[in-house]
Amino acid sequence: MVRTDHILFIAAARSTCRSVGPDPSFKAFSIRVELEPLGRDEFVRILTEPRSALLKQYTALMDTEGITLTFTDDAVAASADYAQTVNDRTENIGARRLATVLEKLLDDISFEGRTSKTRWWRSTRRT
């Protein structure tokens, strides 16, 4: 069984492999990886598990404006579902889609945060 913990690192190495000189042996380091599309469960994990997860980043960003931002489990699942649906219907850009989904979701809060009288936001499946 192949461990895929660092598969993105390996896949990224593919794009940086170039022929260094006339010696063709350097081309032997080129790696081709075919990845399966990310699903809802992977998107949820990406949104919540890493130390620098997007939800944690947006929560910290809003905290600098004095706004408490929380996400329910349903909201996280809905964001993951939406990202997967958009990836299925348009160009599949993988986990990068999560950034555009969250940016659109939090657009109003981001721009009106400092002037808004609301200091606490809770994102649910309906919002």
Side-chain angles (χ1 to χ4, degrees), residues 39-41 43-44 47 74-88 98 101 125:
R40 176 184 181 266
D41 294 337
F43 282 135
V44 168
L47 284 171
D74 283 348
V76 174
S79 299
D81 287 337
Y82 188 74
Q84 182 181 6
T85 301
V86 174
N87 271 351
D88 290 343
L98 292 171
V101 168
R125 181 174 273 284

Side-chain angles (χ1 to χ4, degrees), residues 62-83:
M62 292 297 110
D63 192 46
T64 64
E65 299 291 331
I67 297 172
T68 302
L69 181 63
T70 59
F71 295 88
T72 64
D73 291 341
D74 283 348
V76 174
S79 299
D81 287 337
Y82 188 74

Side-chain angles (χ1 to χ4, degrees), residues 32-73:
R32 181 170 185 217
V33 178
E34 292 189 24
L35 303 173
E36 294 293 321
L38 295 171
R40 176 184 181 266
D41 294 337
E42 290 87 11
F43 282 135
V44 168
R45 288 184 63 203
I46 291 167
L47 284 171
T48 57
E49 288 183 14
R51 189 170 13 121
S52 59
L54 285 173
L55 294 181
K56 295 174 185 174
Q57 291 180 34
Y58 270 104
T59 301
L61 179 66
M62 292 297 110
D63 192 46
T64 64
E65 299 291 331
I67 297 172
T68 302
L69 181 63
T70 59
F71 295 88
T72 64
D73 291 341

